Every structure is written in structure tokens, then in C-alpha cells.
Amino acid sequence: MRWINTAQGSVDFRARIAKARRLLVLLLLASLLLSAAGPEKHLSVYSVAANYSLPITQREGRDYVGLLELLEPLGRVSAKSDGQRWRFRYNSVEGEFQSGKTRARVQGREADLGEKFFVENNRGLVPVSSLGSLLPRFLGGPANLHEASGRLFIGSVSTHFTASLAADNPPRLVFNFTAPVNPSVSTEPGALRMTFSREPLVAPASPTLTFGSKAIPSASYSEGNGAAVLTVNSTIPVMATFSNGGRTVTIAPAAAAQAAAAGAQPAATPASPAPTANPTSSPTPAQVVQVSRRYFAVVDASHGGDDHGESLSSALAEKDVTVALARSLRQQLESRGITTLVLRDSDANLSLDQRAVFANADHAAIYIALHAASSGHGVRVYTALLPFGPDDRGPFRSWTTAQHNSLSLSRTAASAVVAEIQKRQIPVRNLDAPLRPLNNVTGPAIAIEVAPQGSNVAQLTAPDYQDLITGAVATAIAANRDQFGAAP
Ligand SMILES: [Zn+2]
């Protein structure tokens, strides 16, 4: 799929994960996010290379994850199963597992899983409870598992914070974080809640903080279902304001926060594309010029023309698979009553900027980019990882972070798509990535990369496999259409 580092160079992933967020009134979005997340359990993984989440499945009453899916974002993985035996390789480390057995071997040495190992459809399932001891054998470094809350820290990644009350009138509670954060924020009478699912936030010395303020008496830290949660208790309505590049969150009475924000950020209008950022050298296919009505969905067949994408095999280019997937997805969406524009319905050149411009000009309620890959086992669903820091300055700031205000809805869409694909027993993973043009699209935007379930690339061209996946995507979009339709 060839996208890493094409946009911004090799900036540390962690620095990109959260970004400058100014004023936040996300009550509605946060509640939508919660309702779409559903009851499914998942494991959040934090590492220097990537932050991602994986579905947790239950076997014999215990929590399990796929080992291949877990380590695949972190290095080269491969697996072979013959009967009950499953051989797995991560970079140069080899493991051997047996279905139904609690003991495995890693580099020839015994490893105790505590619970049984399972092989299903060539997937090796390991108990979540074993990860803290098993993963260091493969990774050669520490893995810190918070088992009860489904959070896994690989290597030395953690975000700490302090909280202090400024006893002004009105009082302000100031959180300072060691790295930028981008939580979802919700409020209810008496409390403001910040949920950190993508940040490796760790607990303060005491989970309950008291401030001796009548307006904001206390805050507490908790963890659950793949996220850390900070709850601020207040006797008056409060709001969260983000500053210092996402490293500072100030909780203040709602009226005071609004006044401060109005003074500090007169230009805090929704981001819009900068026309000067659009190259004009590529020819424009006729079918995208004639957009006269608003389509609900814009489906983008990635690559095309001179850009072949990945060579999936000697005879198969990614650009051809993405067009087939795009047509299949259009059919699936339209059969559910969702008007759909396919951005590239021919073998045309279309730049990343042009793709974003068309999605934005059409005010699409959802933008879906399609990619294909020869390896990766199943489906990956991406949301934007917005540039942070130096990328945030300069004339194109609004273009490179155009996605900012829709990121919560994009994640809602990604979660819904992941859940539907899971229901069809296809391995699926949810990732943030600096994948253009997602960051340039102003509305909800996701990218979907389809790989064969095993090693047979021909599966990518099989209509039943394509339809299975696009049907799942369309079902997820249709089920949440009211949320996306309400997007700005
Ligand atoms: Zn691609």
C-alpha cells in the first residue's frame, strides 16, 4: 500500500498520535462513540511503533487474542500450521505451539501459557493473561499487561500527568501530560469524563485526587475496556480546553472557558483546504468533475494510472483490485439506500490532494479509501494519525490537519466497520496511521486495506471475498448513517 512516510518524513509516531486540540465540546460525539463501540472486548496495544487495538475473543471462559495479529504491526511475522501444531516466527524468533496445550516453546525454551493454546483457521490464539510473560520472549524487551483493563504496554511507553488547581476565581483545574493527548470528552451532571483509548496513560500515585475546591472538589483515574479514564467531579458545569500542543488540558467553568477560548483563538474556525496545496499536473477524470449532487459516501479506489500501488503478484496490481473493491462497495452501499460516488472508476491518475478536494467539495458524509495488500491476513481499518508539532505550523496547517474536527466520527465509523467484519470471522485490525489523504478530508474518513486471509493472493480477486468484506462495510455505514449524516 506504500504510504508510510510519504507525507511527513519519519517523525516519531508517538509525537503524531495526539495533536493540538483547541476548544472541545464533544458531548454529542462522545456519546455517539460509546454507543457505537458496543459490548465487544478489545485489547489496546501501545508501543513506540504504533498504537492499535485488537478484538478479544473468549475460549472456555477465558480471554484470547491472535498472536499473529498482535505482533504483525511490530515486525515481520509468519505462521504455519500442520494439524495441531502451529509454528510462528516474529523477525528471527521462532515459537512452536500446540492446540490444546498450555506449554509452548520459544527459541527452543519452554514457555508456560497458563491456559490452553488454540489453532483455528491457521490463527494461533493465546490467552491474554500469558502476554506479560510470553511477549518479552519474542520482543526481547518488556511488555507490561494491564489485564483487567485490556491494555498492553510494549517497551518503555507511558504518558504521565499531573493535576493542579489554580485557585483563581473561577477556579481552573490544569492537567499537564508528558505527551500530547486527544481523549474523547463527555459530560454529565456533576462530572466531566475524558476517555483515553489511544494514549498509554498510566495511573498517578493515588487514583483519587482532591483539590479542596467547592466547584471542582476531586478527580479520579480508572481503567477499563482498553482505555484510561479521567473523571473530574464538579458542582457546576465545566468544559475542557486543550492547549500547549495537546499537552495541557484545562477544566474550567463552562462560561469562563468559552470566554477564554474566544479571546485566545479568534481563528478557531473549521479547517478548510488551502487551494494552493492542490497540484494541477494530473489529468482529472471526467466522472469526478461533474459532481452536482451530494453523495452520502465517497468511495476512493486508491492508486491508479501510473501509480500501480503494490504488485500483489506478477500479474496483479493493487490499483486493479481497488477498483473492483470500490465497485463492489458502491453496489453494497446503494442496495442499502446510500448514494455513493466512486472517485476513480477507471484507470486514471488522481493525486492524493485531488481525492481529498473531491471528497470535501462533495461534503461526503463518509469517505472510504480502499487499498489491497498481498500480506497482512484479513482487513485493516485505518483512521488518520494527524501530524503534530512542526507540521502544525506554516501555510498548510489547515490542509494537513483538515481531518481534526471529524476524527471522533471517523473512529466511530472505523469501530463499526471492524465490528461488522469481525462478525464475518475475518481477521481485522484497527490502526491510526499517517495515511494520506485521510488527514486532508474534512468529514469522517477511513481507509480499508484488504489482504487475503491466508497466503493466496488470488482471494483478492474472488467476488465472494470482495462482497463479504464490502457487505460488512456497507452494513456498518448504513447502521450508523444518522451519525455521519449529522456531521458538519
Ligand atoms: Zn495502497
Side-chain angles (χ1 to χ4, degrees):
M1 123 165 183
R2 303 196 314 176
W3 47 266
I4 289 281
N5 295 339
T6 54
Q8 322 289 345
S10 53
V11 177
D12 179 2
F13 259 60
R14 279 174 64 205
R16 295 158 170 263
I17 281 159
K19 60 279 334 163
R21 169 153 266 179
R22 304 304 200 265
L23 185 64
L24 200 76
V25 191
L26 282 183
L27 173 60
L28 177 64
L29 298 186
S31 64
L32 295 176
L33 197 65
L34 289 173
S35 66
E40 256 135 11
K41 286 179 85 171
H42 61 272
L43 179 73
S44 289
V45 184
Y46 310 106
S47 75
V48 174
N51 294 336
Y52 49 101
S53 69
L54 298 165
I56 288 178
T57 58
Q58 301 248 312
R59 295 292 179 275
E60 300 183 355
R62 305 282 177 173
D63 288 344
Y64 280 81
V65 290
L67 185 59
L68 187 89
E69 293 84 344
L70 175 58
L71 289 179
E72 203 269 336
L74 304 176
R76 288 191 319 280
V77 293
S78 61
K80 262 188 206 149
S81 64
D82 63 88
Q84 299 297 297
R85 186 179 301 178
W86 192 71
R87 290 172 191 275
F88 172 71
R89 175 184 270 262
Y90 171 79
N91 291 340
S92 61
V93 182
E94 290 190 26
E96 191 177 313
F97 299 79
Q98 289 210 51
S99 196
K101 295 284 197 308
T102 61
R103 290 179 183 275
R105 298 189 80 79
V106 180
Q107 291 292 75
R109 291 180 50 221
E110 192 161 279
D112 186 358
L113 304 177
E115 308 285 343
K116 286 182 205 164
F117 174 83
F118 291 98
V119 184
E120 294 172 8
N121 301 325
N122 288 333
R123 292 176 69 209
L125 298 176
V126 292
V128 170
S129 57
S130 73
L131 296 176
S133 61
L134 180 65
L135 290 184
R137 303 281 201 94
F138 284 99
L139 299 166
N144 183 6
L145 175 70
H146 296 193
E147 189 179 348
S149 59
R151 304 175 79 218
L152 177 66
F153 298 72
I154 291 177
S156 52
V157 289
S158 58
T159 298
H160 298 263
F161 69 93
T162 59
S164 58
L165 190 87
D168 314 347
N169 189 20
R172 292 172 294 123
L173 176 59
V174 180
F175 288 100
N176 279 306
F177 298 85
T178 54
V181 295
N182 189 10
S184 60
V185 179
S186 63
T187 57
E188 61 191 63
L192 178 144
R193 188 165 291 123
M194 294 186 281
T195 301
F196 304 80
S197 47
R198 313 274 169 151
E199 297 90 345
L201 198 63
V202 293
S206 164
T208 304
L209 309 159
T210 53
F211 307 112
S213 158
K214 199 176 160 203
I216 305 176
S218 64
S220 62
Y221 173 93
S222 62
E223 293 186 5
N225 199 19
V229 179
L230 277 173
T231 305
V232 176
N233 299 303
S234 65
T235 55
I236 52 171
V238 292
M239 288 180 70
T241 311
F242 289 71
S243 59
N244 188 24
R247 287 178 171 81
T248 299
V249 180
T250 303
I251 310 295
Q258 277 164 343
Q265 289 147 23
T269 49
S272 59
T276 48
N278 310 327
T280 53
S281 53
S282 303
T284 302
Q287 74 269 22
V288 293
V289 180
Q290 305 299 332
V291 177
S292 55
R293 71 175 167 120
R294 181 186 196 275
Y295 291 87
F296 190 92
V298 167
V299 174
D300 188 359
S302 297
H303 311 289
D306 301 331
D307 172 9
H308 292 235
E310 185 189 333
S311 294
L312 302 168
S313 71
S314 58
L316 188 61
E318 182 184 356
K319 67 172 184 175
D320 297 321
V321 175
T322 59
V323 169
L325 284 169
R327 291 172 180 161
S328 167
L329 180 54
R330 174 174 55 198
Q331 191 182 8
Q332 296 279 356
L333 285 166
E334 295 203 324
S335 74
R336 289 165 178 79
I338 291 179
T339 57
T340 303
L341 172 73
V342 170
L343 265 195
R344 184 178 69 81
D345 203 4
S346 62
D347 187 23
N349 283 305
L350 198 58
S351 75
L352 292 169
D353 288 309
Q354 285 175 316
R355 293 169 199 258
V357 166
F358 288 123
N360 294 342
D362 197 42
H363 304 292
I366 180 84
Y367 167 87
I368 304 167
L370 296 168
H371 289 267
S374 57
S375 63
H377 308 285
V379 180
R380 299 178 185 205
V381 182
Y382 294 91
T383 47
L385 190 54
L386 296 182
F388 178 78
D391 294 329
D392 261 2
R393 292 190 285 267
F396 302 136
R397 183 194 159 276
S398 66
W399 178 245
T400 57
T401 59
Q403 170 66 193
H404 184 274
N405 289 344
S406 291
L407 197 51
S408 289
L409 272 177
S410 299
R411 288 177 176 165
T412 299
S415 300
V417 168
V418 165
E420 280 301 325
I421 291 173
Q422 257 174 267
K423 283 184 196 166
R424 286 154 180 80
Q425 311 292 321
I426 297 170
V428 59
R429 208 168 28 251
N430 194 350
L431 295 143
D432 298 336
L435 173 54
R436 291 197 67 214
L438 290 183
N439 58 318
N440 310 120
V441 177
T442 53
I446 60 174
I448 297 171
E449 182 186 44
V450 181
Q453 287 176 283
S455 54
N456 183 9
V457 169
Q459 189 179 27
L460 289 173
T461 58
D464 55 346
Y465 186 57
Q466 294 178 351
D467 292 346
L468 187 63
I469 291 166
T470 58
V473 175
T475 299
I477 300 304
N480 293 279
R481 58 184 305 163
D482 292 348
Q483 296 183 37
F484 307 131

